[in-house]
């Protein structure tokens, strides 16, 4: 069962991403992390099912942040 857009946003917040306010058209939201140079763009209303590519993009971004954080600790 696909995750909801709301769940993906919660995952991003938990990983340290923050929402860029007043950015994006319609249901698009831009999420930034201090360690990443490019934002993650998430589209869709909170109660809609996420598309597989959206879940994949979110997981890729979170994994990249985790790897960068581990590299900083060494």
């Amino acid at each position: 069962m696909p995750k909801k857009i709301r769940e993906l946003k919660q995952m991003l917040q938990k990983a340290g991403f923050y929402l860029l306010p007043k950015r994006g058209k319609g249901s698009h939201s831009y999420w930034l992390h201090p360690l990443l140079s490019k934002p993650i763009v998430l589209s869709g209303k909170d109660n809609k099912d996420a598309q597989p590519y959206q879940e994949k993009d979110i997981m890729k971004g979170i994994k990249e942040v985790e790897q960068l954080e581990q590299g900083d600790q060494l």
Side-chain angles (χ1 to χ4, degrees):
M1 191 163 150
K3 294 185 184 317
K4 298 287 185 184
I5 296 295
R6 163 180 58 256
E7 293 175 288
L8 295 182
K9 289 179 179 180
Q10 289 171 349
M11 290 169 63
L12 287 170
Q13 284 181 327
K14 197 175 210 178
F17 286 80
Y18 60 93
L19 178 65
L20 277 176
K22 306 221 183 219
R23 178 79 193 260
K25 260 188 165 180
S27 63
H28 288 72
S29 58
Y30 285 70
W31 294 84
L32 281 179
H33 193 279
L35 298 177
L36 298 180
S37 59
K38 293 184 179 180
I40 292 180
V41 180
L42 188 58
S43 64
K45 304 241 183 232
D46 285 351
N47 61 344
K48 296 291 182 183
D49 288 341
Q51 297 296 317
Y53 76 91
Q54 290 174 311
E55 289 188 48
K56 183 179 173 185
D57 288 347
I58 300 301
M59 296 309 293
K60 182 180 172 188
I62 291 172
K63 185 176 179 182
E64 190 174 339
V65 166
E66 288 173 351
Q67 289 175 344
L68 288 171
E69 286 175 343
Q70 287 177 356
D72 287 345
Q73 292 175 357
L74 295 177

